[in-house]
Amino acid sequence: MAGLLCGTKRKKQVSDLHEEGKNAINAPMLPSGTDIHPEDTLLEENAERIMLDPTSRENLKFKDLLKVLIDWINSELEEDRIIVKDLEEDCYDGQVLQKLFEKLSGRKLNVAEVTQSEIGQKQKLQTVLEAVNELLRPHGWTIEWSVDSIHSKNLVAIVYLLVALAMHFQAPIRLPEHVSAKVVVVKKREGILQTALVSKELTSTTEMMMGRFERDAFDTLLDHAPDKLNVVKTSLITFVNKHLNKLNLEVTELESQFADGVYLILLMGLLENYFVPLYNFFLTPESFEQKVHNVAFAFELMQDGGLKKPKARPEDVVNLNLKSTLRVLYNLFTNYKNSD
């Protein structure tokens, strides 16, 4: 019996040594600090696995992008009392992605509310991603995510998906520009593992990202009917001055005089007939951040008044983007044009 156990142990040692040697041969030089887990080497022929390079995880712009996306999700799902802290751990099972897509699209998906099993989670992900892909593909999006990549907590795939949703639904957030991430791609070819370090672009410039949005009436107006645009601007100036004149304030330039958010806040107070405490905003904002705070606060007041969250970004209003300012003011005009 002792000899049998000894022989079995020796065979296991030989097997472990053989496996270690095979992995050493199959895995060529990897970037420093990259860990390949055992499950990453158990690939079928021609299969591949993608892992985030540790240096990218510590990149400040990448971290900033993650924070912007997390804050956006938490804002959208506040009514559902869902709080996301970690994209990998909170998005992989499909629950958060389901709720987010339903909120953004206004469409209810036919999926089980809570699924604990891996099969159930993947089935939910399948339904959610099919709906997402069906929506995004006609608009030229490249599908950089899958059920397996999301469920395996592939952060790059999750970020690709969230960025696409944010851009498609014109989320009122400002995505950091030129964010990229390095990923380690592990492939199996003829039984040998091959690795490569690849850079993935997650965001481009704000102008290019905005260009993916569907054009609306204001785009057409600016491009093809500047004479009619002046009529719209005159109507909006008349509307805002009707109310701001009560405070002895007057607007002559829409894009510049609303850029610091002060007039927007005061206008909302007048339209809803309440006084906005001065400690809630910067009456004489000096920095870009203070102006963004004011415009964002005005957007909150609009939502409190029953209006939908503006599709414009506070940063774009502050940056004197005429279309963004017109969209915000036109939304107020359509809701309060009969208000005294």
Side-chain angles (χ1 to χ4, degrees):
M1 179 64 74
L4 181 59
L5 289 174
C6 185
T8 303
K9 183 177 180 180
R10 192 178 298 112
K11 285 181 180 179
K12 186 178 187 307
Q13 289 174 337
V14 171
S15 176
D16 290 345
L17 188 61
H18 174 73
E19 188 66 27
E20 183 180 347
K22 185 175 70 173
N23 288 340
I25 295 171
N26 287 348
M29 294 295 290
L30 286 172
S32 178
T34 301
D35 294 324
I36 290 199
H37 301 286
E39 62 268 21
D40 296 324
T41 65
L42 299 176
L43 298 176
E44 296 181 0
E45 184 65 21
N46 295 320
E48 70 176 39
R49 188 181 295 273
I50 298 176
M51 297 159 287
L52 182 65
D53 184 60
T55 58
S56 290
R57 194 179 288 274
E58 297 304 316
N59 181 278
L60 293 179
K61 292 180 73 172
F62 183 71
K63 283 184 172 182
D64 186 29
L65 176 59
L66 297 187
K67 184 180 184 305
V68 169
L69 292 173
I70 289 173
D71 289 345
W72 168 57
I73 295 172
N74 288 334
S75 174
E76 292 289 346
L77 302 183
E78 186 177 7
E79 293 179 3
D80 294 293
R81 297 181 180 179
I82 292 176
I83 299 177
V84 171
K85 295 181 179 179
D86 184 287
L87 292 181
E88 291 162 294
E89 295 300 328
D90 295 331
C91 293
Y92 82 96
D93 62 359
Q95 181 77 10
V96 169
L97 294 177
Q98 172 212 337
K99 294 295 184 182
L100 181 63
F101 179 78
E102 290 180 341
K103 174 72 184 300
L104 296 172
S105 67
R107 172 184 167 190
K108 184 72 174 174
L109 298 178
N110 184 25
V111 293
E113 280 302 312
V114 181
T115 52
Q116 298 293 341
S117 69
E118 180 179 333
I119 294 177
Q121 291 170 352
K122 286 189 172 182
Q123 287 175 341
K124 172 178 280 193
L125 272 174
Q126 182 73 33
T127 301
V128 173
L129 295 186
E130 282 179 357
V132 169
N133 297 348
E134 182 181 301
L135 180 72
L136 297 182
R137 203 174 261 124
H139 296 280
W141 285 98
T142 301
I143 307 304
E144 298 277 1
W145 52 84
S146 65
V147 171
D148 288 335
S149 63
I150 299 292
H151 195 266
S152 65
K153 304 179 183 180
N154 181 326
L155 185 56
V156 173
I158 294 171
V159 169
Y160 264 127
L161 173 59
L162 293 174
V163 167
L165 288 174
M167 288 170 59
H168 179 81
F169 287 102
Q170 301 184 38
I173 58 177
R174 192 171 189 84
L175 296 170
E177 297 184 337
H178 298 297
V179 180
S180 60
K182 293 180 180 178
V183 296
V184 180
V185 181
V186 183
K187 300 179 181 179
K188 178 170 280 189
R189 296 289 184 269
E190 298 180 356
I192 297 177
L193 292 181
Q194 302 174 355
T195 63
L197 191 63
V198 179
S199 182
K200 296 277 190 178
E201 183 185 61
L202 301 174
T203 66
S204 54
T205 65
T206 299
E207 184 178 9
M208 289 181 66
M209 290 188 285
M210 289 287 288
R212 297 196 72 119
F213 298 150
E214 292 182 8
R215 295 172 59 80
D216 63 11
F218 284 113
D219 290 302
T220 305
L221 211 58
L222 283 168
D223 292 344
H224 304 294
D227 53 328
K228 292 183 180 179
L229 175 64
N230 288 329
V231 173
V232 172
K233 290 173 70 173
T234 301
S235 298
L236 291 177
I237 288 174
T238 302
F239 163 71
V240 298
N241 281 335
K242 172 185 173 182
H243 299 281
L244 289 175
N245 285 166
K246 298 171 186 176
L247 299 177
N248 294 321
L249 301 173
E250 185 166 357
V251 170
T252 56
E253 290 291 332
L254 293 179
E255 52 265 62
S256 61
Q257 288 183 267
F258 284 97
D260 65 6
V262 175
Y263 278 17
L264 270 181
I265 294 170
L266 297 176
L267 181 60
M268 279 308 304
L270 291 165
L271 293 173
E272 285 291 328
N273 196 30
Y274 58 69
F275 174 75
V276 182
L278 297 180
Y279 58 77
N280 280 330
F281 65 101
F282 298 96
L283 190 59
T284 55
E286 298 179 356
S287 67
F288 180 81
E289 289 72 20
Q290 289 177 345
K291 294 175 183 179
V292 169
H293 169 88
N294 281 357
V295 177
F297 178 58
F299 285 6
E300 290 178 19
L301 297 180
M302 293 173 196
Q303 289 178 270
D304 291 342
L307 278 69
K308 288 186 177 180
K309 194 170 188 175
K311 289 187 176 181
R313 296 165 173 78
E315 292 88 350
D316 294 330
V317 175
V318 175
N319 283 325
L320 308 180
N321 184 296
L322 178 59
K323 282 186 285 187
S324 296
T325 305
L326 287 178
R327 288 186 180 99
V328 173
L329 294 176
Y330 188 74
N331 192 30
L332 294 178
F333 173 75
T334 56
N335 281 275
Y336 296 102
K337 58 185 176 184
N338 296 321
S339 174
D340 294 327

